[in-house]
């Protein structure tokens, strides 16, 4: 699933092609919004929050989420699309550019005043201008016995981290992903690391993975073969999540 850095850069590309320009075409290929017509509206801004993306006019906010396979592409008008037309779920065009959302996991059209309902439950946006490390720390420590690898993935704690960066952040802090949040000696440093890592990935791509997806390859720090395992939700008070692989160095990140 695309993570916060990917969505952040996607918003930047869409901003270049759409912001400040008048729509000459809007084609919602989603039954619920098939009759929505935004032709004549001006795209005021494009923004991201965690893994959520918003395209705003003066009237509405178009909310999209990439989920597992979604992607936005921006083309010059008349340019051939690089993905099958059958997978296009939303097309927004002006006199110069055509933005196409392929295989989008979610498409919503909301009144601008209702946009907050999509993100009210989320933690602070790691890439947002109002990033609040103290609030992220407060949310993480609400469940001190929860594995940090699960806590980092929970968007209600801090928004933007996915499967790749939770492994990378834990590796950089020499913390095993199954370590309970309350047992981490310097949780403030881990939160700061999360902010730094996602910021670097967003502003200075590409991020070169040190442990993610590198099972049995040498640890870049000590040379020990990287290990992997599944980590599922084990706290009955939280919403269950599908098990996903975590990657770590058994020597640099000893299991608690």
């Amino acid at each position: 699933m695309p993570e916060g850095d990917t969505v952040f850069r996607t918003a930047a590309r869409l901003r270049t092609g759409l912001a400040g320009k008048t729509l000459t075409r809007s084609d919602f290929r989603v039954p619920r919004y098939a009759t929505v017509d935004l032709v004549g509206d001006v795209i005021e801004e494009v923004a991201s929050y965690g893994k959520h993306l918003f395209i705003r006019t003066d009237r509405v906010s178009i909310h999209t989420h990439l989920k597992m396979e979604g992607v936005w592409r921006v083309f010059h008008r008349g340019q051939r699309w690089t993905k099958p037309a059958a997978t296009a779920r939303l097309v927004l065009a002006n006199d110069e550019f055509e933005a196409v959302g392929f295989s989008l996991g979610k498409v919503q059209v909301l009144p601008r005043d209702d946009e907050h309902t999509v993100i009210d439950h989320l933690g602070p946006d790691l890439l947002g201008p109002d990033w609040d490390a103290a609030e992220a720390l407060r949310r993480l420590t609400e469940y001190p016995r929860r594995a940090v690898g699960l806590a980092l993935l929970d968007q209600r704690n801090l928004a933007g981290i996915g499967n790749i960066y939770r492994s990378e952040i834990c590796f950089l802090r020499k913390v095993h992903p199954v370590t309970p949040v309350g047992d981490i000696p310097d949780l403030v440093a881990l939160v700061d690391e999360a902010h730094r890592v996602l910021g670097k990935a967003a502003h200075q791509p590409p991020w070169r993975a040190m442990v993610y997806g590198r099972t049995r390859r040498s640890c870049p720090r000590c040379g020990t073969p990287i290990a992997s395992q599944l980590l599922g939700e084990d706290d009955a008070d939280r919403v269950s999540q599908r098990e996903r692989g975590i990657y770590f160095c058994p020597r640099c990140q000893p299991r608690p």
Side-chain angles (χ1 to χ4, degrees):
M1 179 182 291
E3 305 192 21
D5 61 318
T6 299
V7 179
F8 181 88
R9 293 194 303 274
T10 298
R13 289 196 299 273
L14 289 173
R15 197 177 301 123
T16 298
L18 298 177
K21 299 179 175 66
T22 301
L23 291 176
T24 57
R25 180 187 179 194
S26 71
D27 182 3
F28 289 83
R29 302 181 181 184
V30 181
R32 182 177 179 181
Y33 302 109
T35 61
V36 172
D37 185 2
L38 299 180
V39 171
D41 281 21
V42 176
I43 300 297
E44 293 189 341
E45 57 184 334
V46 183
S48 63
Y49 191 103
K51 301 180 184 181
H52 299 260
L53 193 145
F54 300 93
I55 302 171
R56 301 165 179 147
T57 74
D58 64 336
R59 297 189 296 142
V60 301
S61 178
I62 305 165
H63 166 232
T64 62
H65 196 295
L66 303 180
K67 297 291 185 181
M68 293 298 294
E69 299 178 352
V71 63
W72 275 98
R73 297 276 171 84
V74 179
F75 306 96
H76 286 280
R77 289 297 297 268
Q79 182 181 352
R80 185 176 179 179
W81 292 357
T82 54
K83 295 184 76 66
T87 65
R89 299 197 71 202
L90 176 55
V91 183
L92 299 172
N94 51 53
D95 289 335
E96 188 178 359
F97 295 104
E98 195 169 48
V100 186
F102 297 98
S103 303
L104 299 175
K106 177 174 284 189
V107 177
Q108 285 181 287
V109 181
L110 305 164
R112 284 286 294 267
D113 290 344
D114 292 346
E115 182 182 291
H116 69 93
T117 62
V118 175
I119 58 175
D120 276 350
H121 68 291
L122 299 177
D125 178 12
L126 280 153
L127 297 175
D130 55 352
W131 160 246
D132 188 342
E135 175 60 15
L137 189 67
R138 184 192 70 78
R139 289 175 179 240
L140 285 167
T141 54
E142 282 185 340
Y143 295 87
R145 303 317 303 162
R146 195 180 193 200
V148 67
L150 294 173
L152 287 174
L153 202 62
D154 191 335
Q155 303 301 293
R156 294 168 294 186
N157 291 327
L158 57 176
I161 294 175
N163 209 31
I164 296 173
Y165 293 116
R166 68 163 173 175
S167 291
E168 298 292 294
I169 292 160
C170 287
F171 173 74
L172 288 166
R173 294 304 308 164
K174 299 183 179 181
V175 172
H176 195 290
V178 304
T179 305
V181 168
D183 292 350
I184 295 175
D186 194 346
L187 191 60
V188 172
L190 185 137
V191 169
D192 289 342
E193 191 76 75
H195 186 226
R196 185 192 69 81
V197 165
L198 212 63
K200 184 174 182 180
H203 295 287
Q204 301 174 38
W207 174 267
R208 183 179 177 183
M210 290 171 282
V211 291
Y212 180 81
R214 295 176 58 82
T215 309
R216 293 187 293 276
R217 296 186 186 181
S218 297
C219 168
R221 239 182 341 228
C222 71
T224 301
I226 298 298
S228 63
Q229 69 177 70
L230 293 179
L231 179 63
E233 183 62 77
D234 59 0
D235 186 335
D237 294 329
R238 307 293 287 206
V239 177
S240 179
Q241 299 182 41
R242 183 177 61 185
E243 288 189 334
R244 301 177 185 176
I246 54 169
Y247 299 83
F248 56 93
C249 171
R251 182 176 179 183
C252 294
Q253 301 164 263
R255 189 181 183 95

